Amino acid sequence: MTTSQNTRLDKPIRTSACLIIGDEVLNGKTVDTNSSYFAKFCFDLGVEMKRVEVIADDEGEIIEAVRRMSTNYDFVVTSGGIGPTHDDITYSSIAKAFDLPLTLHDGTWARMCKLSKSSKTNPPFDWETPSPMLTAKQRMALLPTGPNVQNVYISPDLWVPICIVGNVHILPGIPRIFEQLLQGLRPRLNVDSQNKQTRVIISTPMKESEIAGFLTNLQEKVKERGVKVGSYPRWGKIRNTVTLTGADKDYIESLVDEVEKGVRGLRVSVEGEDDAQEKPEEVTGVQATTKDGVKT
């Protein structure tokens, strides 16, 4: 019998993973922004995000992915597949993944009935008389049930729960609600405040190939202190970006002067903030062009 990894939440969260569920993402109809938001959320908490996967609305795919992620990572979030239609199968698939029954959750159903307001796109509805629409609405309150399951409501004005199965947190795919629920979950998360990450951004006019040797040596020097050195080309832009990331803020700050000199760069607060200081034709190794290929 497969069980959820509830013990992972009994100690500080260090690693995370995000599972995006939906055919609409894979066929290009919808662009996923939730994984990016989750990555920034985790970085701010000092949690290392290790994996993002996008999979179809397929029961077998969901079962395999959540079992594996639940085992491998401390904090797992899923996004999508919990609406009223036939292809919204996330709740039922995750229930099967952990051998749990799927039942109508009275608390969620009561909140849905109470908080669902009438509007032009949502006309008055009979919540008592059986109908195909009533059945469809109930699908959104059919949740995994068991001793390792929690349903968290982050606002008195929002009926949608965060259904937590062990260390798997099931969220909707609508970005506005995904973000609201994730922020509401934040005070409940057991994280190590000493692991909060610092990121320093240094803008450089040099090509990546010109600074590769310096950065390789720098990474070797700082890796034992838990610092990661990043190098990111910005195609069509004037400058490239070098980053220093880690939990030891004081140590990272002590490296800034050395790195600025090594890459002939300057520390910035936001990537690209100093782009306007140079002319487009001064882009290192790349000419800035319009969509028609005409030099700007």
Side-chain angles (χ1 to χ4, degrees):
M1 179 175 180
T2 301
T3 58
S4 56
Q5 307 298 308
N6 195 49
T7 56
R8 282 188 173 271
L9 296 181
D10 295 336
K11 57 185 179 180
I13 295 168
R14 296 189 179 277
T15 60
S16 68
C18 185
L19 181 63
I20 306 297
I21 301 169
D23 293 341
E24 68 277 9
V25 178
L26 292 171
N27 63 29
K29 181 179 180 297
T30 300
V31 175
D32 164 50
T33 60
N34 289 341
S35 60
S36 175
Y37 186 88
F38 183 58
K40 295 173 184 176
F41 176 84
C42 289
F43 181 85
D44 191 48
L45 289 175
V47 172
E48 185 177 9
M49 188 164 168
K50 303 288 284 187
R51 179 171 292 271
V52 177
E53 292 186 23
V54 182
I55 63 173
D57 293 302
D58 178 276
E59 182 180 276
E61 293 274 351
I62 297 171
I63 289 173
E64 187 280 328
V66 295
R67 283 178 176 171
R68 171 170 42 82
M69 287 184 167
S70 178
T71 298
N72 293 342
Y73 309 109
D74 300 329
F75 177 38
V76 179
V77 163
T78 74
S79 165
I82 58 174
T85 57
H86 70 284
D87 57 346
D88 291 308
I89 58 172
T90 296
Y91 284 143
S92 60
S93 299
I94 291 179
K96 285 189 177 182
F98 299 117
D99 298 319
L100 298 171
L102 190 74
T103 61
L104 183 67
H105 188 260
D106 292 337
T108 298
W109 180 241
R111 290 173 67 93
M112 187 193 304
C113 295
K114 177 182 178 181
L115 296 174
S116 295
K117 298 177 180 179
S118 299
S119 65
K120 290 183 179 179
T121 58
N122 188 29
F125 178 71
D126 183 352
W127 293 88
E128 301 295 333
T129 304
S131 67
M133 187 176 291
L134 183 68
T135 300
K137 288 180 179 292
Q138 286 179 332
R139 282 176 62 89
M140 294 184 286
L142 290 171
L143 308 180
T145 304
N148 284 340
V149 179
Q150 305 174 61
N151 290 291
V152 176
Y153 306 96
I154 61 97
S155 168
D157 300 321
L158 188 65
W159 68 262
V160 182
I162 303 171
C163 183
I164 307 172
V165 181
N167 63 343
V168 178
H169 301 67
I170 309 171
L171 275 69
I174 299 171
R176 177 178 59 83
I177 301 178
F178 178 91
E179 294 170 11
Q180 183 180 358
L181 292 178
L182 199 58
Q183 289 298 337
L185 184 64
R186 185 172 184 146
R188 300 175 57 93
L189 297 176
N190 180 14
V191 297
D192 184 355
S193 60
Q194 299 299 313
N195 202 42
K196 186 174 176 62
Q197 300 290 290
T198 292
R199 180 188 287 127
V200 167
I201 304 172
I202 296 172
S203 175
T204 173
M206 299 179 71
K207 298 178 183 179
E208 280 200 303
S209 57
E210 293 177 312
I211 58 177
F214 170 78
L215 296 181
T216 298
N217 292 334
L218 178 66
Q219 181 62 84
E220 185 65 24
K221 168 186 170 181
V222 303
K223 66 180 182 180
E224 291 186 359
R225 300 291 293 269
V227 176
K228 291 185 178 181
V229 179
S231 176
Y232 305 98
R234 302 176 63 235
W235 298 110
K237 298 297 183 179
I238 297 157
R239 293 178 172 85
N240 295 318
T241 298
V242 170
T243 62
L244 304 172
T245 306
D248 191 336
K249 182 177 180 179
D250 291 340
Y251 181 61
I252 288 176
E253 290 291 343
S254 75
L255 297 170
V256 172
D257 287 345
E258 175 187 351
V259 179
E260 284 183 327
K261 292 176 183 177
V263 302
R264 289 190 289 176
L266 183 68
R267 180 176 183 170
V268 294
S269 57
V270 179
E271 187 179 59
E273 71 176 29
D274 56 347
D275 283 352
Q277 296 177 15
E278 300 287 348
K279 296 178 181 179
E281 58 265 26
E282 294 178 16
V283 176
T284 303
V286 179
Q287 287 189 336
T289 60
T290 66
K291 290 182 180 179
D292 297 324
V294 179
K295 183 179 176 183
T296 58

